[in-house]
């Protein structure tokens, strides 16, 4: 399905690949389709790998991947920012549907709904470590450490079968990105403070010159 959505000629830019991967991911996330009930984790990993590859191609062409996470869209976002935000939410959605499916939601359904659900269900496979690593890398590249922790790692750790255990390599990667973000924020804050100080100094000099002329 992904291959048919990507042009046959050599893709020099990752957007066609990304759009194709998102299209397939949306079919998996939508519980009204058969993919939610039948897709194996390995295939979900392939979709996430396509997303990651597309982002790498886009970044190599000079596109800035990191975006600011907003509670509500302002309406003035560019097309690239909208696409990246969609990518982020799609990645989050893939992890959550796998977690949901593996946690056996039919146990909390009414009998009729549970029978209907089980009749369609082909697999209860949830996210593997490979799935979590791919989703984490994608999320970190776009949304940063805080979003990744809450939207990707959080739902995974909350699943009863994980017992709250998350691989150390993933936690370390998130911690490293968080530390880097804090350093960048500190540098930016220092730069802003210096600019403010220079502005105040210039205004003070202008005032003194004016007084001397008077």
């Amino acid at each position: 399905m992904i291959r048919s959505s990507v042009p046959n000629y050599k893709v020099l830019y990752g957007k066609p690949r990304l759009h194709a991967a998102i299209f397939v991911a949306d079919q998996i996330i939508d519980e009204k389709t058969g993919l939610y009930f039948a897709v194996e984790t390995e295939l979900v990993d392939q979709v996430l790998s396509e997303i990651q590859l597309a982002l790498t191609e886009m970044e190599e062409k000079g596109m800035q991947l990191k975006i600011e996470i907003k509670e509500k869209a302002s309406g003035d976002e560019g097309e690239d920012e909208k696409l990246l935000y969609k990518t982020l939410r799609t990645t989050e959605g893939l992890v959550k549907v796998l977690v949901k499916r593996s946690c056996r939601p039919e146990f909390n359904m009414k009998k009729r709904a549970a029978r209907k659900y089980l009749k369609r269900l082909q697999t209860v496979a949830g996210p593997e470590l490979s799935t979590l690593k791919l989703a984490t890398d994608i999320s970190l590249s776009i949304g940063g450490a805080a979003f990744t922790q809450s939207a990707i790692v959080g739902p995974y750790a909350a699943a009863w079968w994980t017992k709250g255990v998350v691989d150390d390599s993933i936690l370390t990667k998130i911690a490293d990105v968080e530390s880097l973000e804090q350093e960048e924020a500190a540098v930016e804050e220092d730069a802003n403070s210096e600019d403010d100080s220079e502005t105040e100094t210039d205004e003070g000099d202008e005032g003194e010159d004016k007084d001397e002329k008077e």
Side-chain angles (χ1 to χ4, degrees):
M1 188 182 292
I2 293 179
R3 185 176 300 175
S4 65
S5 300
V6 178
N8 291 326
Y9 55 82
K10 184 177 180 182
V11 178
L12 298 178
Y13 192 53
K15 283 186 179 180
R17 187 190 303 277
L18 183 57
H19 281 294
I22 289 175
F23 173 80
V24 176
D26 283 343
Q27 310 313 306
I28 298 172
I29 294 170
D30 185 0
E31 295 185 26
K32 295 179 181 179
T33 71
L35 285 178
Y36 165 83
F37 295 95
V39 70
E40 295 290 346
T41 305
E42 180 182 358
L43 295 178
V44 175
D45 285 358
Q46 289 180 18
V47 175
L48 288 171
S49 294
E50 286 293 314
I51 292 175
Q52 187 178 44
L53 177 58
L55 291 174
T56 299
E57 292 170 345
M58 292 159 66
E59 189 173 33
E60 288 175 350
K61 291 298 180 180
M63 184 172 178
Q64 173 64 39
L65 298 183
K66 190 65 69 70
I67 62 174
E68 181 183 354
I69 305 300
K70 305 174 183 177
E71 293 184 4
K72 186 177 181 181
S74 61
D76 59 354
E77 293 83 4
E79 291 302 315
D80 287 347
E81 185 176 355
K82 290 179 181 178
L83 178 59
L84 289 170
Y85 188 79
K86 171 64 175 174
T87 303
L88 202 58
R89 290 304 182 185
T90 299
T91 303
E92 176 188 8
L94 285 174
V95 173
K96 286 185 174 180
V97 296
L98 288 183
V99 168
K100 176 182 176 180
R101 191 177 67 178
S102 65
C103 286
R104 308 304 299 271
E106 67 271 17
F107 292 156
N108 296 319
M109 297 178 183
K110 293 183 178 180
K111 290 183 179 180
R112 181 177 296 180
R115 283 197 299 268
K116 182 178 179 180
Y117 181 88
L118 290 172
K119 188 175 182 180
R120 302 181 66 188
L121 189 65
Q122 301 296 315
T123 177
V124 295
E128 301 287 347
L129 177 58
S130 56
T131 314
L132 189 61
K133 285 183 175 180
L134 284 166
T136 296
D137 288 342
I138 293 168
S139 183
L140 284 174
S141 67
I142 301 175
F147 180 88
T148 302
Q149 181 64 46
S150 63
I152 304 298
V153 175
Y156 176 88
W160 62 265
W161 47 268
T162 67
K163 298 180 180 180
V165 177
V166 178
D167 189 83
D168 287 341
S169 64
I170 292 175
L171 297 178
T172 299
K173 184 174 293 187
I174 293 174
D176 289 344
V177 172
E178 183 178 20
S179 178
L180 180 60
E181 289 173 346
Q182 291 174 348
E183 291 176 4
E184 292 174 347
V187 171
E188 184 177 355
E189 185 177 350
D190 289 342
N192 291 336
S193 297
E194 290 178 2
D195 291 341
D196 292 341
S197 298
E198 291 176 359
T199 301
E200 291 176 359
T201 300
D202 292 341
E203 290 176 351
D205 292 341
E206 290 177 359
E208 291 177 0
D209 292 341
K210 185 177 180 180
D211 292 338
E212 290 177 357
K213 290 178 181 180
E214 292 177 352

